[in-house]
Amino acid sequence: MTEMLDLATTVEGLDGLELVGNWHVNNDNIHEVARMFQDRGFKISMLVPDLWTQAKWGKGSIAAPDAKTRQAAVDEVRKVMDWGAELGCSYVDVRPGQDGYDYCFQADYIEAWKWLGDGLVACANHNDKVRVLVEYKLKEPRTHCFVTSAAKVLLLLQGLDKVGVLLDVGHSIAAGENAAEAAALLASHRKLDYLHLNDNYRSWDDDMMVGAVHLVEYLELAYWLKRLVYKGWLTLDIFPYREDGVRAAMQCREWMAVFFRSVDRVGIDKFTEVIRSADACSASDLVRCALNM
Amino acid sequence: MTEMLDLATTVEGLDGLELVGNWHVNNDNIHEVARMFQDRGFKISMLVPDLWTQAKWGKGSIAAPDAKTRQAAVDEVRKVMDWGAELGCSYVDVRPGQDGYDYCFQADYIEAWKWLGDGLVACANHNDKVRVLVEYKLKEPRTHCFVTSAAKVLLLLQGLDKVGVLLDVGHSIAAGENAAEAAALLASHRKLDYLHLNDNYRSWDDDMMVGAVHLVEYLELAYWLKRLVYKGWLTLDIFPYREDGVRAAMQCREWMAVFFRSVDRVGIDKFTEVIRSADACSASDLVRCALNM
Amino acid sequence: MTEMLDLATTVEGLDGLELVGNWHVNNDNIHEVARMFQDRGFKISMLVPDLWTQAKWGKGSIAAPDAKTRQAAVDEVRKVMDWGAELGCSYVDVRPGQDGYDYCFQADYIEAWKWLGDGLVACANHNDKVRVLVEYKLKEPRTHCFVTSAAKVLLLLQGLDKVGVLLDVGHSIAAGENAAEAAALLASHRKLDYLHLNDNYRSWDDDMMVGAVHLVEYLELAYWLKRLVYKGWLTLDIFPYREDGVRAAMQCREWMAVFFRSVDRVGIDKFTEVIRSADACSASDLVRCALNM
Amino acid sequence: MTEMLDLATTVEGLDGLELVGNWHVNNDNIHEVARMFQDRGFKISMLVPDLWTQAKWGKGSIAAPDAKTRQAAVDEVRKVMDWGAELGCSYVDVRPGQDGYDYCFQADYIEAWKWLGDGLVACANHNDKVRVLVEYKLKEPRTHCFVTSAAKVLLLLQGLDKVGVLLDVGHSIAAGENAAEAAALLASHRKLDYLHLNDNYRSWDDDMMVGAVHLVEYLELAYWLKRLVYKGWLTLDIFPYREDGVRAAMQCREWMAVFFRSVDRVGIDKFTEVIRSADACSASDLVRCALNM
């Protein structure tokens, strides 16, 4: 952890990091963790309950067929919420990646959907200092997760005002969404709470650097974030398997700066005007103009 | 039309056909159409307002940026609803395929979503004898439609009890869904109103015959239709480009019979038991057993 | 035709157009066509035998199961080659889109592969003034075409020096290729003869404007075209369904100018150096730098 | 290893297993390994040089940009070939999964393609008792591997008679191929040497049990294996993440028995007749008939 944090201080513009419950934080080290972050001027942007790496979640977490496992998952989220409250971290990230199925005839979709909702209700009000966010994903580790898209998570969270959504841009792209549209949909339901940035080739969550593939989509996302007055975190969820992590993070930062600068170069109003014309040629022209090409 | 209907009489087990507004039905021929169907003992299972082939819908129909176009789309749906009432047809199928975008920066997602909802509200109560159904699709003719998935259409229809959903199995598969899960989700919101059957290779709405690719998925769908006590139409939306249409329809019918017979061979309860075990090996075994292999 | 050509004169930088045999050219109008092109200073970049729209090609063209159909397809290509020779057009584009299958158990892969080769041999030497090019595509109109990828067309053309390849960038992307890699592979086999430019969202041949999606891929393609000293045509194969055709063509031209200018901004050698470092962060940095962001 | 082998004895019909070089076999334990297999009556169907898990292969193996790494990869393959000769194993499986790229501008496609060929040449003649097979894959661990498809591996191996191909059915499906067509193409080039069986949902190499998804495709593959008189191994490459491995293997075996039995039920000649009719309805009918539905 010390090594990771020291490395993090070399990433220009970095304000905070996410931590995974039990991996990085536990009852024994919580005060030490707080101090390590304070010493370096970092915030903990997010605490993530580990609901996917341990064997006990192999058949599901908050929507597991086994009632005790479901309760254990709720307990795990609540515990991490309490840690968050103590650490001044405002969010926990519920990733129900094990909640799904691999094969046909392996899940009772009606029951599972109900269990998902029940589990989130059971977490939502546990600690008012910490907001539960759900991170959707089409697949992995399951070949089919239950909570796959922006629309599906919003449907799940109908009436659950206290639970929000974490939009992982790569998950959105790999789910066949346009991330900008997903962001707008979430925001119009007051649930665009937090962003994970990364890129991929659409068929898998490759967790690549921003700027790898979807430049136009990212530019459009930047426009919508400005238009929607998004004030939340812009965090990186990349997996620099063969790259130097610090350099990879810096590349992402540079690309995000390009996209926001490009929106400013043209201005929100001009973008909105072209959008409302619904004219693809004008849109194409505007993209080149904004990107300074 | 006469030719089509006469051909249809040669398809064993056929109870009805869908008609497209203006293509097949109009104010002048409506009584004649009614008689042609009666003479052959056919019902009109569905009337489909043509919201996608004419130039006027080129930039959208119920969610077009132009207010007059939106109104024209609503008027079109209402007109076809009235025809439906007159013809004893219970459903109109709203296919907002032109409502979407091809390029980034070509749609105002916030406005479009609102327009979609407003348009459906404006249709919903128009004629109590006819229920409006929305048919979702990931893409085509647009590269991105707005109403892409079961979850998204349910989100759109929150609070709109009078509007239901048409589940086109091929659209579901091509949208990355498991159609059985989509059916269960729709049914649990009381919106599994009508089915289109066909198959494809997942990346495009190929409109192939049932039995072409997704045998296990179709078997699972058959189980859920029985479990959910689905009583609605099972209609074919295939495009037998190189095949004899009557023979192609008969093949689909045979395949559906296989799937329902296979569910009965094992029994709903046995399926439910295996599903609840969440055990993939048992599921695999059960599939072979049910299919009599 | 006159209308099309007059419109074409308004597209800046346009040097030529493709024509489809029988649609645009036939024995009766061939001299008139030649004059119409000369009058406007246009070349005919390509003649395309129509092997896919007529009913007789419904079960295949040069690889149809029926021997007479195969012969008719060869005859059609040869006829169009002769027209090409007369019109000063150097290429015919063989698009075996109907040669494939939709369903399993619908094609004899061993025979079909042999027929494809035989048909191309029969065309190759017909008229030395015109080179036969094969345009590969993963699917459409078939759900499975036989000639799907750069590697597969090269395998098919082993030993057939007189037949080359038309690389449609959109087909390449929709076939899961990186178009730059496909171009390099074709060029290293001396078969990068001709280019179709367009873009899409990877799962279908959307025939969108250049610049719609794949900016980084197109930049990489521009680098490779320069490095490979490609001197052939850069033609557009876009389908501006909702756009003004002339404006859409101009957008594509602007985007291509951006990509080539960007390669020049950094220089071929710098790109090659970064490529050989195999370092993703340096590559990411270079892309931003080249695109002037 | 003992545990694995003892478990393997409980899988009915199992004749052999694959081993990975250095993981399972090394210079020290080779005689012991031989004895352990003999004691249980198992053959070693395949030895797999580990060219993908170690850090040294992070930027590639036989096509790495670094010449020493390429030589090390060749040496590794040769070493494992010698082990194979000693253990009576006829094949080594070269999996160039690290040979590829993640980002644009990260690989010199011309050089890499040459290096791939050179490396395989350097291995091919090393030990005549052992045949080198190349296992192609679209992606993973790279987002783009170089050797992606049956056609591409055949192109690479032109003139290299001593090197064959391992067809992993799941890789084929995930690469957008129809595995039966891939098998026929490989066999017609005398390179259908070895099979890995598994299934997936097309967009990722999920390594699921046979029978999970692609029943029709597997039936077609079974027909072609019989028609092509394939006599090689039928091995499983599944990853039963949440399943009991022995039961999962047994399920695959049952499914393969179904497919071969179904081909026999109808007979090769009947299948060939329907295939040559190119009639989708007859094909659909035949599939139901063969599968005893």
Side-chain angles (χ1 to χ4, degrees), chain B residues 20-232:
Chain B
V20 179
N22 300 321
W23 301 13
H24 304 120
V25 188
N26 54 53
N27 279 321
D28 294 335
N29 76 351
I30 188 163
H31 298 294
E32 196 184 346
V33 165
R35 198 175 50 250
M36 285 193 287
F37 271 68
Q38 279 168 349
D39 289 352
R40 290 161 183 84
F42 288 143
K43 289 183 185 159
I44 299 171
S45 59
M46 169 71 73
L47 283 180
V48 190
D50 175 13
L51 298 176
W52 72 98
T53 66
Q54 297 171 74
K56 64 179 164 184
W57 314 125
K59 292 204 167 179
S61 63
I62 55 170
D66 174 60
K68 284 184 187 164
T69 306
R70 294 198 297 275
Q71 185 59 49
V74 167
D75 291 344
E76 186 69 26
V77 174
R78 289 171 159 181
K79 181 183 72 182
V80 175
M81 290 174 79
D82 291 339
W83 288 344
E86 200 161 338
L87 289 164
C89 165
S90 308
Y91 304 108
V92 297
D93 171 11
V94 172
R95 306 170 69 170
Q98 298 286 12
D99 293 299
Y101 53 102
D102 300 304
Y103 293 83
C104 288
F105 298 109
Q106 204 184 12
D108 189 318
Y109 309 124
I110 300 276
E111 286 194 333
W113 194 245
K114 194 178 159 301
W115 290 331
L116 280 168
D118 291 348
L120 292 168
V121 167
C123 299
N125 298 300
H126 174 68
N127 192 320
D128 273 350
K129 292 187 183 157
V130 178
R131 181 165 165 90
V132 175
L133 306 184
V134 178
E135 182 177 358
Y136 66 88
K137 192 173 188 180
L138 184 63
K139 56 186 167 186
E140 196 209 10
R142 289 287 191 176
T143 66
H144 298 72
C145 296
F146 290 129
V147 190
T148 55
S149 65
K152 208 166 178 192
V153 74
L154 286 172
L155 186 71
L156 178 65
L157 300 182
Q158 288 285 318
L160 253 179
D161 292 347
K162 292 214 173 168
V163 181
V165 178
L166 185 160
L167 172 61
D168 182 295
V169 175
H171 294 187
S172 179
I173 292 171
E177 297 180 344
N178 176 351
E181 187 189 358
L185 187 67
L186 292 170
S188 68
H189 289 78
R190 301 179 178 276
K191 292 198 187 295
L192 181 63
D193 291 285
Y194 194 99
L195 281 178
H196 275 177
L197 306 175
N198 58 72
D199 206 349
N200 63 55
Y201 288 101
R202 290 204 177 270
S203 56
W204 187 253
D205 181 34
D206 298 309
D207 282 335
M208 300 170 81
M209 292 184 281
V210 175
V213 187
H214 292 98
L215 307 195
V216 186
E217 279 86 346
Y218 256 95
L219 178 64
E220 196 190 22
L221 177 62
Y223 157 79
W224 278 96
L225 293 180
K226 291 217 163 195
R227 177 169 152 187
L228 298 165
V229 199
Y230 176 74
K231 297 287 191 196

Side-chain angles (χ1 to χ4, degrees), chain D residues 30-49:
Chain D
I30 188 162
H31 298 295
E32 197 185 346
V33 166
R35 199 176 48 248
M36 285 193 287
F37 271 68
Q38 277 167 351
D39 289 352
R40 287 162 186 84
F42 288 143
K43 289 182 185 158
I44 300 172
S45 60
M46 169 72 73
L47 283 180
V48 190

Side-chain angles (χ1 to χ4, degrees), chain A residues 58 98 103 139 203 209 242, chain D residues 58 98 103 139 203 209 242:
Chain A
Q98 298 286 11
Y103 293 82
K139 56 184 168 188
S203 56
M209 292 184 280
R242 297 176 179 83
Chain D
Q98 297 286 12
Y103 293 83
K139 56 185 167 188
S203 57
M209 292 184 281
R242 297 177 180 80

